[in-house]
Amino acid sequence: MPSIISGERPFEAPSHATCVPTHVGIIMDGNGRWAARRGLPRIEGHRRGLEALRATVRAAIDFGLDYLTVYSFSMENWNRPIEEVADLMGLLKRFIRNDLKALNKSGVKVKVIGGRNDLKPDIRALLAEAEDRTRSNTRLTLIVAFNYGGRQEIVAAARALAEDVAAGRLEPSAIDENMFAQRLDTAGVPDPDLIIRTSGEQRLSNFLMWQAAYSEFVFLPIHWPDFDRQAFETALAEFSARERRFGRVTAQAQKVR
Ligand code: FPP
């Protein structure tokens, strides 16, 4: 499958948005419905979803985002039919194998969040390779949430802190928000400014539960395979028009960035 992440295009800022978020998270929803509407098998929706993901990474680079996090497989997705789970694992492998070279050339740093132990050794090795090879890139950090669950991530962080307390290495009173955040998979990554969800559904579905505390949300009425540069710009323009108060009052708050 040809890669569209070429790294050859010049910088192309979004035409409508006036301020670009640092970190965008995307819940790529609606692949199955996109396929069903066309009388196609669900895997076809996921395949087209992968193409939309490639184009989205390209656009994120052009727009000047620093971080893009994509929800590719949730811990709850293991409950899908075994064939669909296998298809999604296959698409992840295809993405890494086909696109890693181009991602690297484009200056994309790949980071994977979620549980690794449940994944097959060949997938674990591919994910480790993607992270190792792109470690020093700085243009865009692409965070692939795979076998990811926000609640599970929070529980793991709490457990790690509890173990430190039990071992006498940590005083409970020393635990604060910053310390907690450093135990999450996203340690060192700024919280998402904007979370986009396609397909018209309006929920978080266990995505970045901690990190989304002050994110803006944009819900788009299109299925993920139809998400393109224009849809991305629409979401960024809506984000630009929002006032982020972080609990303050309007007079204290600045417009986003
Ligand atoms: C949600 O749509 C989408 C997923 C569970 C998988 C997302 C995967 C991709 C976009 C392509 C593969 C990319 C990688 C990196 C593996 P859905 O299937 O829940 O759609 P539905 O709600 O309409 O059934």
Side-chain angles (χ1 to χ4, degrees):
M1 186 179 290
S3 167
I4 57 168
I5 302 167
S6 68
E8 306 298 336
R9 296 240 313 264
F11 177 78
E12 209 178 291
S15 55
H16 301 102
T18 51
C19 57
V20 174
T22 299
H23 183 178
V24 174
I26 306 188
I27 302 173
M28 307 183 289
D29 194 16
N31 293 346
R33 279 164 284 171
W34 183 93
R37 199 168 276 183
R38 288 160 181 79
L40 297 168
R42 290 179 61 84
I43 177 63
E44 198 49 39
H46 294 314
R47 281 194 197 117
R48 292 293 293 263
L50 179 55
E51 287 175 29
L53 172 59
R54 289 184 167 122
T56 301
V57 173
R58 178 70 256 166
I61 294 171
D62 292 344
F63 294 164
L65 263 56
D66 293 325
Y67 298 89
L68 175 71
T69 302
V70 290
Y71 204 8
S72 305
F73 189 86
S74 74
M75 286 194 171
E76 292 72 26
N77 285 155
W78 290 108
N79 296 322
R80 294 192 174 203
I82 193 167
E83 305 79 27
E84 184 168 344
V85 170
D87 287 339
L88 287 166
M89 297 290 155
L91 280 183
L92 176 71
K93 287 199 262 187
R94 187 186 292 188
F95 180 52
I96 303 285
R97 286 200 184 117
N98 288 5
D99 291 48
L100 185 56
K101 202 169 159 198
L103 287 166
N104 201 13
K105 198 174 158 212
S106 301
V108 175
K109 176 178 181 168
V110 178
K111 179 177 168 62
V112 183
I113 59 173
R116 303 280 175 105
N117 292 344
D118 305 325
L119 303 176
K120 290 198 172 144
D122 60 335
I123 294 188
R124 289 211 299 265
L126 269 177
L127 298 180
E129 185 194 345
E131 289 183 325
D132 285 347
R133 276 177 57 188
T134 62
R135 195 171 294 283
S136 52
N137 291 341
T138 56
R139 201 158 171 206
L140 170 76
T141 300
L142 172 64
I143 303 174
V144 181
F146 199 87
N147 189 28
Y148 174 83
R151 284 186 174 180
Q152 294 85 342
E153 180 189 34
I154 290 169
V155 168
R159 188 180 299 131
L161 289 169
E163 281 167 3
D164 281 356
V165 169
R169 291 188 292 265
L170 180 65
E171 283 295 321
S173 59
I175 299 172
D176 61 10
E177 286 180 32
N178 283 336
M179 186 184 285
F180 201 95
Q182 289 315 306
R183 301 297 179 112
L184 299 172
D185 290 1
T186 50
V189 174
D191 288 343
D193 306 287
L194 167 66
I195 293 182
I196 300 169
R197 182 171 188 148
T198 55
S199 91
E201 309 285 355
Q202 302 191 0
R203 57 177 170 267
L204 199 50
S205 299
N206 210 10
F207 181 56
L208 301 180
M209 298 282 287
W210 170 280
Q211 300 86 340
Y214 279 98
S215 302
E216 297 295 323
F217 288 82
V218 171
F219 300 105
L220 296 174
I222 55 169
H223 295 312
W224 175 250
D226 290 329
F227 186 85
D228 57 11
R229 179 175 287 258
Q230 198 186 341
F232 206 166
E233 288 193 18
T234 299
L236 293 182
E238 192 167 330
F239 172 79
S240 296
R242 301 266 176 94
E243 180 187 69
R244 303 184 77 193
R245 292 193 293 279
F246 298 100
R248 298 170 190 223
V249 298
T250 299
Q252 297 172 301
Q254 292 179 321
K255 279 270 189 185
V256 282
R257 287 238 291 202

